[in-house]
Amino acid sequence: MPSSVIGHIAYQESRSELVVTFVSGKTYAYGLVPKRIYEDFCRSGAKGNFFNAHIRDRYPARRIKSDPTYELTARGYAIARRVVDSFLVLRLIEIVEAFAHHRSERNGEVYGVRDLLALEEIRRLSEAGPVMSLVQAVVGAEARAVRGIFFDKTPAANWPVQWHQDLSIAVTEKKEIENWQGWSLKNGIPHVQPPTALLERMLTVRLHLDDCGADNGPLKVRPGTHNSGRLPRERISELATEVPEEICCLDAGDALIMRPLLLHASSPARKAHHRRVIHLEFAPADLLPPGLHWAFG
């Protein structure tokens, strides 16, 4: 359940440091916190009570800057609370479930949908003030949505996602351009891996339509890895021992904002609940080279 006090929690295992962002927007780091306290905190159904009983005044604390732009630069991701209200969340669920285009199903359950920007309501969402204010502060005034995807984890479609970077973009047609590689077709749409410099100017907004706690297969990230460029597989494996993961627990209506090059993964959900996410990718309108066009948006 959403907490009326606690907005977001994260844990740096290498420093035994717990970072707590309150609904008020203030963020504090608590040192010397055992990992088991963090795990119990994530599982707690009354996070405010747990904080008061087990964390407040028990560990050394310091106030830290909490600003999405700052966090994206330093860590590669940030969490924005209550981007959309509960009424819009319910409406978005209805819209996506009724959309029959490019659906991925297993045993009658939809776990993925491509081309969400074909829906007028999703385009309006991508252009709405709460979302666009987050994006424009990072990408610039000319930012626009260039791809929309829906993800869910269901009992029939509940596999792990390995550590990776988002390296591909969707375009209207294949063109041979130097340093553009890995061309492929997904549902008939050309996809390609552009140069790293292009990906570094893009931003992803993952809007959650369900509460997602530690048991619901939340996104895991390795902070700061977005600054390492395109990573070969062996380097990704090495970073597993060098950069501790952080687990991103969000409530319905919250959004996770991240750079495409940030290493991220997810585990299978341990509870048979939905974990519905609208994944929107944004870029400056003039980012592509002449003659190449975004497939969506």
Side-chain angles (χ1 to χ4, degrees), residues 207-242:
L207 180 66
H208 279 247
L209 304 183
D210 301 284
D211 294 346
C212 181
D215 292 332
N216 292 89
L219 201 72
K220 303 181 292 186
V221 300
R222 298 201 185 277
T225 52
H226 65 297
N227 291 319
S228 301
R230 191 189 306 261
L231 295 167
R233 177 51 55 185
E234 58 271 17
R235 182 57 181 150
I236 292 176
S237 299
E238 293 171 355
L239 286 169
T241 61
E242 298 175 16

Side-chain angles (χ1 to χ4, degrees), residues 5 196 247:
V5 178
T196 300
I247 299 173

Side-chain angles (χ1 to χ4, degrees), residues 87-215:
F87 296 102
L88 182 52
V89 166
L90 292 175
R91 177 59 183 151
L92 291 170
I93 291 173
E94 291 177 352
I95 290 166
V96 173
E97 288 183 346
F99 187 48
H101 187 56
H102 288 170
R103 292 160 62 106
S104 297
E105 299 183 22
R106 178 170 292 182
N107 295 334
E109 295 182 344
V110 177
Y111 64 86
V113 182
R114 293 186 179 274
D115 194 10
L116 282 191
L117 292 178
L119 290 165
E120 181 181 353
E121 294 91 341
I122 301 299
R123 291 197 303 273
R124 287 205 303 265
L125 171 69
S126 72
E127 297 166 357
V131 172
M132 195 51 71
S133 63
L134 298 171
V135 173
Q136 289 182 337
V138 179
V139 179
E142 298 302 314
R144 68 172 184 175
V146 295
R147 185 162 63 161
I149 307 172
F150 170 77
F151 299 112
D152 193 5
K153 285 200 174 182
T154 71
N158 185 28
W159 53 80
V161 178
Q162 302 301 317
W163 289 100
H164 69 285
Q165 299 170 297
D166 291 338
L167 300 176
S168 296
I169 62 172
V171 294
T172 54
E173 60 181 309
K174 180 177 179 179
K175 289 183 178 293
E176 296 300 332
I177 305 174
E178 186 177 1
N179 296 325
W180 290 63
Q181 56 186 309
W183 285 94
S184 64
L185 282 177
K186 298 179 182 180
N187 293 114
I189 303 297
H191 284 67
V192 62
Q193 295 182 8
T196 300
L198 186 147
L199 294 170
E200 290 175 338
R201 296 183 61 192
M202 296 182 64
L203 188 69
T204 298
V205 175
R206 291 171 55 93
L207 180 66
H208 279 247
L209 304 183
D210 301 284
D211 294 346
C212 181
D215 292 332

Side-chain angles (χ1 to χ4, degrees), residues 47-119:
K47 289 184 170 52
N49 292 339
F50 185 95
F51 173 80
N52 289 331
H54 301 284
I55 298 169
R56 183 191 293 274
D57 300 328
R58 291 176 176 264
Y59 301 99
R62 60 185 175 87
R63 176 83 181 270
I64 61 176
K65 184 175 181 180
S66 180
D67 173 73
T69 304
Y70 170 82
E71 292 181 16
L72 278 165
T73 300
R75 300 161 62 77
Y77 84 102
I79 290 177
R81 296 293 175 182
R82 301 176 182 175
V83 175
V84 301
D85 62 34
S86 57
F87 296 102
L88 182 52
V89 166
L90 292 175
R91 177 59 183 151
L92 291 170
I93 291 173
E94 291 177 352
I95 290 166
V96 173
E97 288 183 346
F99 187 48
H101 187 56
H102 288 170
R103 292 160 62 106
S104 297
E105 299 183 22
R106 178 170 292 182
N107 295 334
E109 295 182 344
V110 177
Y111 64 86
V113 182
R114 293 186 179 274
D115 194 10
L116 282 191
L117 292 178
L119 290 165

